[in-house]
Amino acid sequence: MEQQHTRAVRRLPGRLTAPDPGWTTTADVVVIGSGIAGLTAALRLRDALPPGGEKILVVTKDVLAAGSTQWAQGGIAAALGPGDTPEQHELDTLVAGAGACDLDAVRVLVREGPDAVRELIALGTNFDHSADGELSLTREGGHHRDRIAHAGGDATGAEIQRALIAAVEAAPEIEVIQHALAVDLLLAEDGGVAGVTLHVIGVGVRDGVGAVRCRAVVLASGGLGQVFSQTTNPAVSTGDGMALALRAGATLRDLEFVQFHPTVMYLGPDSRGQQPLISEAVRGEGAFLVDFEGNRFMQGVHELADLAPRDVVAKAIMRRMIETGQPHMWLDARHLGAEFWERRFPTILATARSHGVDPVTQLIPVAPACHYASGGVRTDLWGRSDVPGLYATGEVACSGVHGANRLASNSLLEGLVFSRRIAGVLPGELRPWAEPATDTRTAGLVSGAVRRDLQETMSSEVGVLRTAAGLSDALAALDKLAGVPAEAVDLESWETTNLVTISTALADAAALREETRGSHWREDFPDRDDEQFAGHFDVVMRDGATELVFVPSAATDQL
């Protein structure tokens, strides 16, 4: 079976072309990323490492608050409500994951989740409470219980980010470098971590490319949303951490499982980049989908109707769009009323109004758009990758909890839980200081000018709907784009090379998975096929040569 689902080697840059480091510093642990996963890892490591000795450095591509966490509207899921249990949360997660979840990882998530959320509250996160003082919990797609804790109505991510940043800024043991792209890992003779190269946009000593010598790296760099033309992800989400890990010898898993959020505000056919998300929590509070004739088309599609798992809703919207020839569907939340909108969803209300739609009196145009990468750097239950000294957590990682389709509001929880687990083992596993070995990987750089073509190709052929012909065309186009050399060594070319690297692996995996499962929808293979495809596609790279291998495993939603 493994040989049957193996794709031939493709060649990409084995490392990014970059100037020699112009400055050097040291840190025992480098955390790359400043969302919930990265800042939680840094804070927990601060507490776990011996005081006064080891140094922690947080590196972020923009400012501390610029990642995906601040955009999380709905909330964070955990079995905190009356009558709810981790076992019920587990079942909802496994069903949403369409058989591709790692059962042990899911059990870690749901069992450790409640205490992790309580720890966030103790840190100073101000979650919403009901009139009687209890934690206010709501419901989102795929959940059979009210278990979504939220803050500021629809500003949960921003509130969590605020609390974490305040804690980091009050921790002198944690140094922060902002406006820094992680270029590549520095590897020791044994293939383990010896450091990382950064490009810092700044002034003074740390400007341009430099090297951080370190004993461990925690990747928490987020997802790959900018692979597509329309996404809910911020501009910094260019797959840098995944590409860096792949070039260093780590395995990437489940890249084909990209979740397209069903209700992203439709801004017109020419809109590109980050698009406004209409949280699933709006449907959790009673909003519903309708077509242009006013029909509630989700009724009869799934037992949870408008609150079905995201892949089910996204597919239903796309089917109705194709059937009717319309570019979007509608979300009707008018009956919620002005007072409710202003109290529960003030951010979404203001955003919609800024685009000329008042949800209090008007239908909201919605269509699916890229939202979340369920796959990423393959890790064990403690966040370890294949590369000694390299850990991964949050969206950049594939811990196994999401499977083929992430359950709503499990993303913040995953970053929180697995960052805590990394901090539990990393101090006892710190590698000795090692000299970087001579880097024999072949350097290369793709022109930043091809980014738009890449995004258009991925959106049209590797988006919500996929076919063998479209994926073949996409791979041919990506191979051609990968051959366009950069005229300058700059941020645009580094990011674009990372996007080409991840896009190629994603499209390869999507072409090999000849079935429909979770967020992976093959029009030419509309059914799920556990006999042939219960398992995972892993991609590895050796000096720019990538290869995909299928690893069988039992479907976990039928155990």
Side-chain angles (χ1 to χ4, degrees):
M1 184 180 288
E2 288 192 19
Q3 183 62 36
Q4 180 182 355
H5 299 317
T6 301
R7 182 169 290 283
V9 166
R10 294 187 184 278
R11 181 160 290 283
L12 294 156
R15 61 183 173 92
L16 299 182
T17 299
D20 291 334
W23 53 269
T24 303
T25 190
T26 61
D28 292 273
V29 183
V30 175
V31 178
I32 300 173
S34 62
I36 188 172
L39 297 187
T40 298
L43 289 166
R44 294 285 297 204
L45 285 166
R46 183 271 314 266
D47 295 335
L49 290 166
E54 280 73 6
K55 174 183 169 184
I56 301 165
L57 174 64
V58 173
V59 174
T60 185
K61 195 173 176 183
D62 199 322
V63 295
L64 279 177
S68 293
T69 294
Q70 69 160 337
W71 298 101
Q73 298 172 344
I76 186 166
L80 295 163
D84 198 5
T85 64
E87 289 73 26
Q88 294 176 65
H89 190 183
E90 174 188 318
L91 180 59
D92 286 345
T93 299
L94 294 175
V95 170
C101 298
D102 181 293
L103 181 58
D104 291 335
V106 172
R107 286 177 174 167
V108 164
L109 181 81
V110 300
R111 291 173 182 176
E112 298 182 13
D115 282 345
V117 173
R118 293 185 189 103
E119 186 177 279
L120 262 187
I121 295 171
L123 186 71
T125 306
N126 296 313
F127 285 102
D128 295 336
H129 289 75
S130 60
D132 59 6
E134 294 297 318
L135 192 65
S136 180
L137 301 172
T138 190
R139 191 174 305 196
E140 293 183 354
H143 292 273
H144 285 77
R145 290 277 189 178
D146 292 344
R147 65 168 67 98
I148 315 300
H150 49 85
D154 58 358
T156 310
E159 171 57 19
I160 291 173
Q161 190 80 9
R162 180 206 62 77
L164 289 169
I165 289 174
V168 166
E169 290 178 339
E173 308 90 341
I174 301 173
E175 183 183 356
V176 176
I177 299 180
Q178 300 186 107
H179 304 290
L181 170 73
V183 179
D184 268 312
L185 287 183
L186 297 171
L187 301 175
E189 288 288 351
D190 66 353
V193 167
V196 60
T197 53
L198 308 176
H199 177 260
V200 179
I201 304 171
V203 294
V205 176
R206 290 177 184 165
D207 182 27
V209 174
V212 182
R213 298 281 305 284
C214 63
R215 303 163 68 190
V217 169
V218 179
L219 276 180
S221 52
L224 48 71
Q226 294 298 324
V227 157
F228 297 95
S229 295
Q230 297 89 24
T231 178
T232 62
N233 291 187
V236 294
S237 298
T238 51
D240 307 318
M242 294 182 196
L244 171 149
L246 182 64
R247 291 191 295 266
T251 300
L252 302 188
R253 169 167 284 189
D254 290 346
L255 287 183
E256 69 272 30
F257 296 132
V258 177
Q259 184 175 86
F260 288 78
H261 198 289
T263 54
V264 176
M265 190 172 180
Y266 178 75
L267 300 182
D270 298 323
S271 182
R272 297 292 183 269
Q274 187 175 11
Q275 309 292 300
L277 174 68
I278 308 298
S279 172
E280 206 154 35
V282 178
R283 281 176 284 134
E285 297 289 359
F288 52 86
L289 291 157
V290 294
D291 61 18
F292 276 70
E293 302 300 319
N295 299 309
R296 293 186 61 175
F297 57 88
M298 282 306 302
Q299 294 187 337
V301 173
H302 189 276
E303 60 163 337
L304 295 175
D306 294 271
L307 280 177
R310 287 175 178 175
D311 62 313
V312 175
V313 181
K315 290 170 188 174
I317 290 174
M318 287 300 300
R319 287 193 185 102
R320 189 54 59 101
M321 286 166 56
I322 292 168
E323 290 168 0
T324 61
Q326 299 291 352
H328 64 83
M329 289 291 110
W330 301 98
L331 185 67
D332 191 346
R334 293 172 295 181
H335 59 286
L336 298 182
E339 187 277 332
F340 187 88
W341 264 105
E342 289 165 2
R343 172 176 55 82
R344 182 65 177 87
F345 301 114
T347 308
I348 298 172
L349 180 64
T351 300
R353 285 173 169 170
S354 74
H355 290 287
V357 175
D358 187 347
V360 176
T361 59
Q362 296 174 286
L363 300 175
I364 308 169
V366 294
C370 171
H371 183 57
Y372 191 87
S374 294
V377 180
R378 188 184 70 188
T379 64
D380 66 9
L381 296 179
W382 300 94
R384 304 181 187 98
S385 75
D386 299 333
V387 178
L390 178 65
Y391 303 77
T393 175
E395 191 173 358
V396 71
C398 182
S399 67
V401 300
H402 303 309
N405 177 57
R406 174 174 69 78
L407 182 66
S409 289
N410 269 355
S411 54
L412 293 177
L413 189 69
E414 180 198 24
L416 188 61
V417 167
F418 285 90
S419 291
R420 293 166 87 237
R421 290 178 72 83
I422 288 171
V425 297
L426 188 153
E429 301 173 352
L430 268 178
R431 289 165 52 79
W433 292 98
E435 287 293 323
T438 301
D439 197 337
T440 59
R441 296 175 294 177
T442 304
L445 210 55
V446 178
S447 171
V450 310
R451 182 187 294 209
R452 181 66 178 266
D453 288 343
L454 178 149
Q455 292 170 328
E456 296 295 332
T457 296
M458 291 296 291
S459 293
S460 63
E461 308 297 354
V462 199
V464 179
L465 305 177
R466 299 167 177 174
T467 65
L471 291 164
S472 177
D473 289 346
L475 286 164
L478 290 169
D479 283 344
K480 184 177 180 181
L481 295 176
V484 180
E487 296 182 357
V489 177
D490 55 20
L491 179 63
E492 184 75 12
S493 296
W494 283 323
E495 287 186 333
T496 301
T497 305
N498 289 334
L499 288 171
V500 169
T501 299
I502 297 305
S503 297
T504 302
L506 193 165
D508 263 333
L512 284 169
R513 187 172 286 280
E514 295 178 334
E515 64 159 354
T516 290
R517 182 185 299 269
S519 55
H520 171 68
W521 184 6
R522 285 290 298 264
E523 286 189 282
D524 45 352
F525 295 95
D527 299 320
R528 172 170 154 176
D529 184 357
D530 280 346
E531 183 176 345
Q532 290 291 319
F533 292 102
H536 309 275
F537 281 100
D538 287 352
V539 59
V540 293
M541 175 185 281
R542 299 291 181 267
D543 189 22
T546 63
E547 184 175 5
L548 273 82
V549 177
F550 182 72
V551 181
S553 65
T556 51
D557 59 345
Q558 300 176 359
L559 298 177

